[in-house]
Amino acid sequence: MSVVPKSAMAILKVSRLGHPVLRRVTQPLSLEQLRSAPTQRLIDDMIETMKEYDGVGLAADQVHESQQIAVLEVADNPRYPDKPKVPLTVLVNPRVTPLGEEIEEDWEGCLSIPDLRGRVPRYKSVRIQAWDRDGKEMDFVAKDFHARVIQHEWDHLNGKVYLDRMRDFSTLGFLQEFARYWLNA
Ligand code: NI
């Protein structure tokens, strides 16, 4: 239910670490709010913004809107070239529940923490209950990188960033050094 023609979409300014909006717990939406033209427009703009900056996910507070909306997509992404694809998904008012105790550590970055990468432990498998952009109920299981992206965005909606989840900062580094010293190690 995209009500905005593509030409009218906008690339939004991304909030960076230190902006208080990233540390606030976001607000859930009513069906009426979700289906309103401004919210549908926001979702279109979030998708556009995520694609523009080669993100695999974006939460609404990353574009200064403290609402429980996240978008994700893993396609041919130069920031994550080796990852399995995930179709474009809009999550509204999501609930994320770990399935099992299994934890996996892998690299993450964040558009709100530019140029850095670090290894973050995440549940390997999670269940997601959410609305889609039309308010239709979704209930699905995500594994591996898909589960990782969802947990990263879920954290954003709860005022957390991936740095909060790192066991220590020994792997934290800049993208250029990551590519040079870690990528093929
Ligand atoms: Ni992020």
Side-chain angles (χ1 to χ4, degrees):
M1 192 179 72
S2 178
V3 294
V4 180
K6 199 169 178 13
S7 59
M9 287 189 198
I11 291 159
L12 303 173
K13 187 178 178 195
V14 175
S15 56
R16 303 206 307 173
L17 190 66
H19 195 296
V21 73
L22 289 174
R23 293 310 196 169
R24 281 206 287 273
V25 176
T26 54
Q27 294 297 309
L29 286 87
S30 68
L31 268 182
E32 193 186 353
Q33 284 170 323
L34 172 60
R35 288 168 177 165
S36 71
T39 303
Q40 291 296 314
R41 160 94 203 215
L42 171 65
I43 292 169
D44 284 331
D45 289 347
M46 284 174 62
I47 294 167
E48 192 75 351
T49 303
M50 171 177 68
K51 289 175 189 283
E52 172 69 15
Y53 296 113
D54 295 320
V56 291
L58 189 74
D61 49 323
Q62 291 186 276
V63 292
H64 306 87
E65 294 287 342
S66 196
Q67 302 180 43
Q68 286 186 18
I69 304 170
V71 298
L72 51 131
E73 181 182 40
V74 185
D76 292 316
N77 191 306
R79 288 175 73 240
Y80 298 92
D82 56 336
K83 296 302 182 188
K85 310 240 179 304
V86 173
L88 178 64
T89 311
V90 178
L91 301 176
V92 178
N93 299 345
R95 278 206 296 145
V96 177
T97 317
L99 294 175
E101 298 291 309
E102 206 179 340
I103 303 272
E104 203 168 50
E105 213 175 70
D106 202 358
W107 297 96
E108 291 186 24
C110 181
L111 296 179
S112 294
I113 310 169
D115 291 330
L116 286 169
R117 280 283 163 92
R119 286 180 75 82
V120 184
R122 298 286 188 189
Y123 289 103
K124 200 169 156 54
S125 179
V126 292
R127 177 186 178 187
I128 300 95
Q129 294 157 287
W131 286 344
D132 71 6
R133 67 179 299 164
D134 302 320
K136 200 169 134 256
E137 307 244 9
M138 293 187 289
D139 189 339
F140 62 99
V141 171
K143 292 178 194 306
D144 304 315
F145 189 65
H146 188 193
R148 174 171 299 277
V149 173
I150 286 172
Q151 288 169 87
H152 179 116
E153 301 314 323
W154 164 249
D155 269 356
H156 274 304
L157 297 180
N158 289 292
K160 289 192 179 345
V161 298
Y162 78 85
L163 300 175
D164 303 330
R165 300 292 189 192
M166 289 180 71
R167 291 190 171 113
D168 64 69
F169 295 129
S170 60
T171 59
L172 189 66
F174 291 101
L175 268 178
Q176 201 180 335
E177 281 71 17
F178 165 77
R180 189 176 297 164
Y181 296 109
W182 293 89
L183 198 53
N184 300 309

